[in-house]
Amino acid sequence: KSNKSSYIWDEKYDQPISIVANASYEDVACTSFEGQSNGSWTVNSTSRTNIYFVTGKQCYQLSNGSISKTGLNSSLDYILSYWSRNGSNNSFTVSGSSSVTEGRTLNGWTYYEHLVNGTSVTISGSGYIDELRLYPKGSLMSSNTYEPLRGITSQCDANNRISYYIYDVFSRLVLLRDQENN
């Protein structure tokens, strides 16, 4: 096991959008489709939608273009996870995927986790996708979204439990909600 920790930063390099324990930076990618930074992913469109989202305030319509990550270590198994608003993972194709697990559904979004291997991975298809993560199996990844001049707006922990941070008009934190809206 490695004692490495890796950080993926927003486009201004002032907020970490992801923290990964036990992984090298080259082996991780994460995006919530919030800013101009794609969190080490290559996203084939700059278009985003703010109609639906599971974290932050935007998501990506996969029919706008595929998403990929290259330069992976072929000797490692990776976890690729995402939230989908399709009702089925059959709308997405994940290259190098040897298995897929369907998780819980929240507010129309369903969690999926793929085991992948190879030097690159590509996600293609149609439907809404959010909170897209890639990390070596055995690593732990958490991710955050932010609102300028306020702070953190959501956090997705290593077990994919989401917390939402609510602020008043004076940008003071007034409420912390879990994914069940408690």
Side-chain angles (χ1 to χ4, degrees), residues 126-148:
S126 63
Y128 296 107
I129 188 170
D130 202 1
E131 198 59 37
L132 176 61
R133 299 173 165 194
L134 178 74
Y135 54 93
K137 187 176 180 181
S139 300
L140 299 173
M141 178 180 275
S142 63
S143 55
N144 307 307
T145 61
Y146 300 91
E147 187 175 323

Side-chain angles (χ1 to χ4, degrees), residues 72-88:
L72 300 176
N73 184 338
S74 62
S75 67
L76 294 177
D77 287 329
Y78 292 86
I79 302 295
L80 181 140
S81 66
Y82 55 85
W83 288 84
S84 169
R85 192 172 174 89
N86 296 349
S88 169

Side-chain angles (χ1 to χ4, degrees), residues 24-29 40-41 68-80 95 116-122 134-136:
S24 296
Y25 179 78
E26 300 80 24
D27 292 321
V28 298
S40 296
W41 290 104
S68 61
K69 167 80 172 154
T70 60
L72 300 176
N73 184 338
S74 62
S75 67
L76 294 177
D77 287 329
Y78 292 86
I79 302 295
L80 181 140
S95 67
V116 297
N117 189 285
T119 58
S120 66
V121 64
T122 300
L134 178 74
Y135 54 93

